């Protein structure tokens, strides 16, 4: 696997054994103990970058491969969280929409997802799909609708992620289809579960 274009190593005398890595934008930051030799640094940097990239690859949504994959993922999520009652006929990626992340037409079972989400973590795309699938069963945003959506365990976190993404890009988007997050759903922190990889180095 190709090494990222930018890797920054940060040494710390207070760090005794733990080695960790995380991505900040296009840069991978690797944190190592100050006592490490240059050869150990090179070995650990390569290892931690590989682990971080594997973790990121696992988190990517399988749906981003294309419309067929997006439809398959939607049907899987409908089975898992909506008792298989939501039956989408068409689910596809579309050009970025001005006011929403996704939209649904219940009358013909069509779901459209903004291309802006192709690089979002898989669990965020899954939330957007569950949100739109719930509209096949409840067209509005009433309590019943939100009771369906909140069966997805990362609902609040995904809402927070989307709010942060919208704010960072200056988009002004709220919920996937343009409405507010709904009753009893706060912003959450929007932090990715797997944004840092740790290991312990022998010292």
């Amino acid at each position: 696997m190709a090494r990222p274009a930018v890797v920054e190593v940060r040494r710390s005398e207070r760090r005794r054994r733990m080695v960790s890595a995380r991505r900040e934008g296009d840069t991978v930051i690797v944190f190592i103990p100050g006592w490490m030799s240059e050869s150990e640094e090179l070995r650990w940097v390569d290892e931690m970058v590989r682990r971080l990239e594997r973790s990121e690859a696992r988190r990517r949504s399988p749906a981003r491969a294309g419309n067929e994959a997006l439809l398959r993922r939607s049907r899987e999520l409908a089975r898992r969280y909506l008792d298989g009652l939501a039956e989408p006929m068409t689910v596809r990626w579309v050009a970025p929409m001005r006011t929403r992340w996704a939209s649904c037409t219940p009358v013909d079972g069509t779901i459209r997802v903004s291309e802006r989400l192709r690089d979002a973590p898989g669990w965020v795309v899954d939330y957007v799909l569950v949100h739109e699938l719930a509209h096949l069963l409840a067209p509005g945003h009433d309590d019943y609708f939100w009771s369906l959506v909140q069966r997805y365990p990362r609902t609040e976190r995904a809402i927070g992620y989307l709010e942060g993404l919208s704010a960072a890009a200056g988009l002004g988007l709220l919920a996937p289809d343009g409405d507010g997050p709904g009753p009893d759903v706060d912003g959450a922190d929007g932090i990715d579960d797997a944004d840092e990889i740790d290991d312990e180095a022998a010292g």
Side-chain angles (χ1 to χ4, degrees), residues 75-97:
R75 287 175 173 166
E76 178 184 338
L77 292 167
R79 286 193 299 271
R80 187 181 303 177
Y81 298 112
L82 301 174
D83 304 319
L85 298 176
E87 299 181 9
M89 299 305 296
T90 304
V91 185
R92 58 190 171 89
W93 294 104
V94 297
M97 293 176 265

Side-chain angles (χ1 to χ4, degrees), residues 34-99:
W35 53 260
M36 272 194 180
S37 67
E38 288 188 16
S39 61
E40 287 174 314
E41 174 185 321
L42 287 173
R43 179 174 69 83
W44 275 105
V45 166
D46 287 342
E47 174 65 19
M48 299 307 285
V49 167
R50 278 196 298 270
R51 291 187 190 185
L52 183 63
E53 290 180 338
R54 283 199 302 268
S55 174
E56 290 173 339
R58 286 195 300 270
R59 285 164 31 231
R60 293 188 184 109
S61 171
R64 75 182 56 197
N67 292 335
E68 285 301 315
L70 196 63
L71 178 61
R72 285 194 302 273
R73 183 61 175 169
S74 298
R75 287 175 173 166
E76 178 184 338
L77 292 167
R79 286 193 299 271
R80 187 181 303 177
Y81 298 112
L82 301 174
D83 304 319
L85 298 176
E87 299 181 9
M89 299 305 296
T90 304
V91 185
R92 58 190 171 89
W93 294 104
V94 297
M97 293 176 265
R98 189 174 60 84
T99 61

Side-chain angles (χ1 to χ4, degrees), residues 85 112 116:
L85 298 176
R112 294 161 296 279
R116 285 193 178 104

Side-chain angles (χ1 to χ4, degrees), residues 152-181:
Y152 179 65
R154 295 189 179 185
T155 287
E156 293 187 20
R157 178 161 290 211
I159 289 171
Y161 183 99
L162 291 172
E163 288 177 345
L165 185 62
S166 175
L171 299 174
L173 304 181
L174 298 173
D177 42 26
D179 288 326

Side-chain angles (χ1 to χ4, degrees), residues 7 14 19 24 37 46 64 84 114 123 128 135 142 160 165 176 185:
V7 177
R14 290 181 299 178
V19 181
E24 295 181 2
S37 67
D46 287 342
R64 75 182 56 197
S114 172
W123 55 271
V128 170
H135 277 310
D142 57 14
L165 185 62
V185 181

Side-chain angles (χ1 to χ4, degrees), residues 83-158:
D83 304 319
L85 298 176
E87 299 181 9
M89 299 305 296
T90 304
V91 185
R92 58 190 171 89
W93 294 104
V94 297
M97 293 176 265
R98 189 174 60 84
T99 61
R100 57 194 65 199
W101 297 110
S103 64
C104 173
T105 306
V107 68
D108 62 6
T110 298
I111 293 172
R112 294 161 296 279
V113 181
S114 172
E115 291 274 1
R116 285 193 178 104
L117 292 176
R118 274 195 184 264
D119 292 326
W123 55 271
V124 175
V125 177
D126 283 353
Y127 160 72
V128 170
L129 291 173
V130 170
H131 184 113
E132 299 307 328
L133 287 164
H135 277 310
L136 297 179
L137 306 175
H141 288 88
D142 57 14
D143 289 347
Y144 174 61
F145 167 82
W146 285 106
S147 74
L148 294 173
V149 173
Q150 289 173 355
R151 293 181 184 182
Y152 179 65
R154 295 189 179 185
T155 287
E156 293 187 20
R157 178 161 290 211

